[in-house]
Amino acid sequence: MRVVPGAQFDKLQLPKISVPEGEEPDSSTPPTGAIMSPASPAAGITPYADPRAPQNAPLANQNELLLEAQLTPDSMPLEKGLVWRVFSPEPNAEDKLPLIATATGGTASFSLPQGSYLVHASFGRAGATKRITIRNASRHEKLILDAGGLKLSAKLPDGKEISDKFLRFSIYENDDEGNERSLIVPNIKPNTVVRLNSGTYHVVSNYGSANATIRAEIVVSAGKLTEATVEHNAAEVTLKLLRDVGGEALADTSWNIVNTNGDIVFESVSAYASLVLAAGDYIAVAKNKDRLYQREFTVESGKNEDVDVFAKAENEVDSDQID
């Protein structure tokens, strides 16, 4: 008996088979009205899927591509931190290379049909790309990243540590032709290892958000961790506008900090103005209730201090003097 898919057993009427008393039914010839399994599928019934058919074995024509990445030709394969991407080399309608497969970690394995591919391995900000052609066999490929690491820190001239909350680094491409440099990695915390391709980079260290900035050219070597420490000549300063010594800072005060060239290096509106300034001479200008008060002061490297401006007649200036 062949059961038609979708039929309900309580509605399917099976024929009655009559057998004369004392005789066994002939199994070679079905009785009249019996349901038979046809030699070829009946209309509307899907034939049995042959697993040996190519269309039903999509992995049959695929080959293994095993990928490893090394920092240098002589180093061991990386075991973690990699991102693998396999692209088709032919751009799509949007003029982009179609992404076929990805993997993360260390060594990666892909099952791919015959053809050409672009394989990219990234390790932090370091990376390498290789064109690979797969034929009817497995392949084992190695990508050489030619990369290393860079760890940045900063200190004061007397060796004192700088609080991490005030310190940030940015890494730019090194442009020998004087063009605008491209930013590679911004806002890096101190003692963070950044993975980069070997080469020379332009590093900017910012101590605070005003003018305490150091620039340096640093070389990253393949297979090595480069540790660089820059030196800042700066200090942390807190400015307050007071009526009397030991008094409360006046609220609704706006601040301008001007250097000896007349350039404004810092602006804020607050009772307290806390900032980091490079060593040098400055003028603090405080505005409160349409009155302007100023004080000259000097920042010494590594010497954090409070700078009090007093709202007294002798410190008051008019806007024409400031301009």
Side-chain angles (χ1 to χ4, degrees):
M1 178 183 71
R2 184 178 181 86
V3 179
V4 179
Q8 301 297 320
F9 285 104
D10 57 345
K11 297 182 179 180
L12 187 62
Q13 301 296 320
L14 300 180
K16 295 181 180 180
I17 302 175
S18 299
V19 180
E21 185 175 353
E23 296 185 15
E24 295 293 330
D26 184 357
S27 60
S28 62
T29 302
T32 303
I35 298 176
M36 297 178 61
S37 176
S40 60
I45 300 178
T46 303
Y48 180 78
D50 184 357
R52 295 169 296 179
Q55 64 270 25
N56 296 322
L59 299 180
N61 298 321
Q62 298 201 359
N63 306 279
E64 182 187 28
L65 174 61
L66 185 66
L67 298 170
E68 291 180 337
Q70 300 167 217
L71 294 177
T72 67
D74 300 326
S75 63
M76 296 295 293
L78 294 167
E79 297 181 354
K80 60 181 180 179
L82 290 165
V83 178
W84 294 96
R85 295 179 177 90
V86 180
F87 296 90
S88 167
E90 301 300 327
N92 57 20
E94 299 176 354
D95 201 28
K96 296 181 180 180
L97 298 180
L99 178 63
I100 296 174
T102 63
T104 59
T107 301
S109 177
F110 298 93
S111 293
L112 299 168
Q114 297 183 50
S116 292
Y117 302 91
L118 289 177
V119 175
H120 179 78
S122 60
F123 186 58
R125 298 289 175 165
T129 302
K130 187 174 185 179
R131 189 184 186 101
I132 297 174
T133 299
I134 298 178
R135 295 183 173 85
N136 192 21
S138 60
R139 289 200 63 169
H140 181 193
E141 292 286 340
K142 296 180 180 180
L143 272 70
I144 308 302
L145 297 175
D146 186 30
L150 178 60
K151 185 165 73 170
L152 300 165
S153 62
K155 64 179 183 179
L156 296 169
D158 59 4
K160 288 183 180 179
E161 297 292 329
I162 297 175
S163 174
D164 287 357
K165 69 178 182 179
F166 291 114
L167 194 59
R168 289 294 181 270
F169 297 90
S170 295
I171 300 176
Y172 294 81
E173 289 183 352
N174 188 46
D175 193 339
D176 295 329
E177 298 181 359
N179 298 323
E180 184 176 352
R181 294 182 172 91
S182 298
L183 177 63
I184 299 175
V185 195
N187 199 35
I188 305 168
K189 294 181 180 180
N191 299 308
T192 300
V193 176
V194 182
R195 298 154 179 164
L196 298 164
N197 288 107
S198 63
T200 302
Y201 296 89
H202 184 80
V203 175
V204 178
S205 174
N206 289 299
Y207 179 18
S209 58
N211 65 341
T213 301
I214 298 294
R215 298 175 179 271
E217 308 298 322
I218 298 176
V219 177
V220 174
S221 300
K224 297 181 180 179
L225 175 63
T226 300
E227 299 186 55
T229 301
V230 299
E231 188 175 273
H232 277 281
N233 287 289
E236 299 167 25
V237 176
T238 300
L239 298 111
K240 296 175 287 185
L241 179 63
L242 308 174
R243 295 205 182 276
D244 299 291
V245 176
E248 292 291 329
L250 299 180
D252 300 322
T253 299
S254 61
W255 294 92
N256 284 338
I257 309 301
V258 184
N259 63 17
T260 54
N261 295 324
D263 301 321
I264 297 176
V265 298
F266 179 81
E267 295 179 286
S268 76
V269 178
S270 60
Y272 295 85
S274 296
L275 69 156
V276 176
L277 290 172
D281 297 323
Y282 300 91
I283 298 174
V285 180
K287 181 179 180 180
N288 184 271
K289 294 182 179 180
D290 297 325
R291 292 180 179 274
L292 296 174
Y293 306 93
Q294 74 174 31
R295 176 188 166 179
E296 296 180 2
F297 67 100
T298 298
V299 174
E300 297 180 24
S301 182
K303 187 178 179 180
N304 302 335
E305 63 178 338
D306 292 343
V307 175
D308 296 335
V309 180
F310 292 98
K312 303 290 186 180
E314 60 267 26
N315 297 327
E316 189 172 354
V317 294
D318 58 42
S319 58
D320 293 336
Q321 290 177 276
I322 299 300
D323 295 337

